Each structure stands twice: as C-alpha cells, then as structure tokens.
Amino acid sequence: AAKAAGKRQWRRFEPQQRVRMVERHDLKAQMDGAIARGEFALCYQPVVDIAAGDVVGFEALARWPHLPTGPVPPGQFIPLAEESGHISMLGAWVLHRATADIARLQRRIPLPAPPYLSVNVSARQWGDMSFLDEVCTALDAAGLVPGTLQLELTESVLMQRTDQIDEVIRELKEVGVRIAIDDFGTGYASLRYLRDFPIDVLKIDKTFIDGIPQDSQQVALVEAILRLADTLGLQVIAEGIEEQEQRELLADIGCRFGQGYLFARPMTVEEGELVLRQRARGSGGAPFPDTAA
Ligand code: C2E
Ligand code: MG
Ligand code: MG
Ligand code: MG
C-alpha cells in the first residue's frame, strides 16, 4: 500500500486527461438540468428462459440520449452521478419511471406469470436514508406487485454493508422485493456474504459467459457457480449471451435464465410490449424476430 501511495505524486495532467476532466466536469454540471427537464430515458432488456426463449422479466437501463455531444453510455454517466451525488435523484426517477412502465405492461398484457422488473441500484442509494421509502412509494404509485420488483446490487455493496443497509434489505424482503447480485464474480463477495445475506438471484457477469463454450475453465467456473447457487437456493441469470453455442451450453448445464443480444438488445417499452404480445399469443421458438436487431 505504501508503494502505491508513493507513486501517486503531484504531476501535470496529460492533455488527454485534461480533456477528459473537462468532459467529466461538463457532464456533472449538466446533470441537474437534464434530470429536471426529463432528458434521461429508460430502455428495457428482456430476461428470458434460456431453453424456452420466453421473456420472464425486463432490466431497466438508463440512457442519456440528447446531449449536444452525442449520447454518453451509462458506464460513464452513472459513475459520475455517483461521484456528484446526482445518483439519488436519478435513481429515484429510474425507480418511478420503470415501475410505472412495467406496471402498465402488466395491465395491458395480462399473463399468468407477469414479467418482473429489475432495477440497478448504486451503492450510494443503498446507503440513502430515504431509499426504502422511495421504493415503497414507487411501488404504490405504480400499483406494481412488490413480488415483481427485483433490485440489483453489486458485490461492492456487500463489502460496504452497514446496519442501515442490512435493515433496508430486510424490510424490502419483507415487502416481497427480490434482491439480485449484479456482475457476480467480478467483485469480492465472499461465500459468507452469500450465506448470511438474503439474496435471491445471482447474475453471472458477461466476462464468464464470453469464454464459453470454448474455454473449459470458464465452463467449469460457470458450472461451479450454478452448483453454489443451487446449494444456497438462489436463481441464476447469465449476462451477455451473444452466441447460439453459449445458449445451448448454458441450457445443457442447467442455467435457467439469461440476457443478451442473442435474445434481445435493450429496447423501448413499446417494443417490450410487442415482445410480450407475442409471448401472450404463445408463439414459441423465435420470440424476437425484429426487435433483436
Ligand atoms: P449491468 O447492470 O450489468 O447491465 C448490463 C449491460 O450489458 C447493459 O449495458 C446492457 O446493454 C449490456 N448487455 C446486455 N446484453 C449484452 C450482450 O449480449 N453483449 C454486450 N456486449 N452487452 C450486453 P448498459 O445499458 O450500457 O449499462 C451499463 C451499466 O450501467 C449497467 O451494467 C449498470 O451497472 C449501469 N446502469 C445502467 N442503468 C443504470 C441505472 O438506472 N442505475 C444504476 N445505478 N446503474 C445503471
Ligand atoms: Mg444490472
Ligand atoms: Mg451486470
Ligand atoms: Mg455492470
């Protein structure tokens, strides 16, 4: 640690870095107004039953489409929003918008198993005193059944756990909300956290899925995660499935659920409605002919 600290000396920024800093600063400065003016948007990526191809849920993913400099991906603006504190406001908006959208879909297309909604929640939001209230208010306002809401956290949240976060999660579980670990395998969640923490779902990170079926070590790792999940009674979702061979292998080794471009890209809520209508009509086989482009 001392060695690393010693390296972090004062030095001049490279021009490249300076541009990045200006961009970051500009983006942060524009966020307030963008949230107030409703310039953020949401898209929804279907979560599917890998073998059957049926849509079982949607993950809400934030978009910032109308910047003069072109769209910025959430991998960039979410960390900035976390740094600046805007994530609380943005996250509240995401919750309200997404619960309203999916509740409307559920009403318009009644299915025996209504599609669930999965929402990404930043470490910082989990620590907000008002977070629990916000979730309950959003559920109420939308009229969404709590059991059809899933909240995603990353392993870093498990590492930074406080009594308050534990309490929030306990109460959410009591209400019926499901908890998923996102990007599972990329962080430092220990087995103890998995055992002691009331988690329902593991989302296996895309980096593990990328290597299958060619890389036998990756395959073995995914199989080990599936066994672990089975032992602990957790559901598993494989992220970033792009190839038919990946789908087949995952189905073979008993991974039930997945997301990925092979099935569908993140789409508008209107496109999501079309996909659900197809499912309601029971057209199995190829569920995403047009929207997967
Ligand atoms: P994530 O939650 O792990 O979401 C999965 C990301 O993988 C999404 O990127 C999705 O579009 C992408 N993806 C899905 N299938 C495939 C595939 O087959 N191939 C490839 N290459 N990519 C695939 P996206 O939308 O750019 O989001 C990036 C990250 O930003 C998310 O990762 C999540 O951590 C964060 N994020 C997005 N929306 C929100 C939000 O509303 N709140 C918070 N806190 N974070 C968000
Ligand atoms: Mg996610
Ligand atoms: Mg992920
Ligand atoms: Mg991620």
Side-chain angles (χ1 to χ4, degrees):
K3 220 174 184 182
K7 272 192 181 168
R8 208 184 304 130
Q9 302 157 355
W10 292 107
R11 58 183 162 75
R12 285 174 41 202
F13 286 108
E14 303 296 325
Q16 192 92 32
Q17 276 176 306
R18 190 174 303 144
V19 171
R20 290 264 309 136
M21 280 188 50
V22 170
E23 271 175 19
R24 288 160 54 87
H25 179 265
D26 280 357
L27 284 177
K28 280 188 195 173
Q30 289 177 59
M31 235 173 243
D32 259 331
I35 295 170
R37 288 189 299 271
E39 286 175 8
F40 285 89
L42 285 182
C43 60
Y44 296 92
Q45 185 177 36
V47 182
V48 305
D49 180 308
I50 290 178
D54 289 336
V55 185
V56 296
F58 292 95
E59 177 176 6
L61 294 161
R63 296 289 179 264
W64 192 357
H66 300 306
L67 281 167
T69 45
V72 181
Q76 244 169 300
F77 69 73
I78 294 288
L80 290 181
E82 284 167 355
E83 274 172 42
S84 66
H86 286 106
I87 193 67
S88 302
M89 230 204 298
L90 184 57
W93 174 80
V94 169
L95 262 172
H96 275 88
R97 183 55 191 270
T99 48
D101 280 349
I102 296 303
R104 197 172 60 246
L105 277 194
Q106 290 180 351
R107 280 193 296 267
R108 288 171 65 102
I109 307 155
L111 290 164
Y116 67 81
L117 164 68
S118 199
V119 175
N120 294 284
V121 179
S122 293
R124 186 139 174 179
Q125 292 175 268
W126 287 106
D128 275 350
M129 296 302 280
S130 57
F131 180 66
L132 177 65
D133 240 24
E134 253 155 33
V135 176
C136 294
T137 309
L139 285 168
D140 271 356
L144 193 79
V145 178
T148 63
L149 177 64
Q150 171 175 297
L151 298 177
E152 301 186 11
L153 49 80
T154 56
E155 288 163 90
S156 63
V157 176
L158 298 184
M159 302 300 299
Q160 300 161 27
R161 265 169 77 191
T162 59
D163 288 348
Q164 195 219 326
I165 295 181
D166 280 8
E167 176 68 20
V168 167
I169 292 192
R170 221 181 7 261
E171 297 209 18
L172 284 171
K173 296 280 306 182
E174 227 157 86
V175 175
V177 173
R178 294 197 307 168
I179 309 290
I181 303 188
D182 199 2
D183 306 336
F184 182 73
T186 60
Y188 299 94
S190 82
L191 298 181
R192 186 164 59 85
Y193 292 133
L194 293 185
R195 190 198 59 195
D196 297 345
F197 213 57
I199 285 152
D200 303 282
V201 178
L202 298 182
K203 300 189 73 172
I204 305 180
D205 193 67
K206 180 177 186 301
T207 50
F208 291 91
I209 307 306
D210 286 339
I212 65 173
Q214 307 84 7
D215 185 338
S216 57
Q217 242 182 348
Q218 293 286 63
V219 175
L221 269 175
V222 173
E223 286 185 294
I225 296 174
L226 287 171
R227 271 200 305 278
L228 174 70
D230 202 37
T231 305
L232 297 170
L234 308 178
Q235 229 181 50
V236 170
I237 300 172
E239 296 194 273
I241 304 171
E242 294 180 343
E243 310 288 341
Q244 182 61 26
E245 296 75 45
Q246 293 173 323
R247 176 186 185 175
E248 281 163 14
L249 186 124
L250 286 165
D252 277 352
I253 61 179
C255 183
R256 178 102 194 265
F257 300 106
Q259 280 173 265
Y261 295 172
L262 175 69
F263 301 103
R265 294 197 177 233
M267 54 180 68
T268 63
V269 67
E270 291 81 13
E271 289 167 329
E273 184 170 336
L274 290 179
V275 162
L276 276 189
R277 284 200 189 286
Q278 282 174 334
R279 183 185 134 185
R281 280 199 299 269
S283 54
F288 314 109
D290 305 320
T291 42

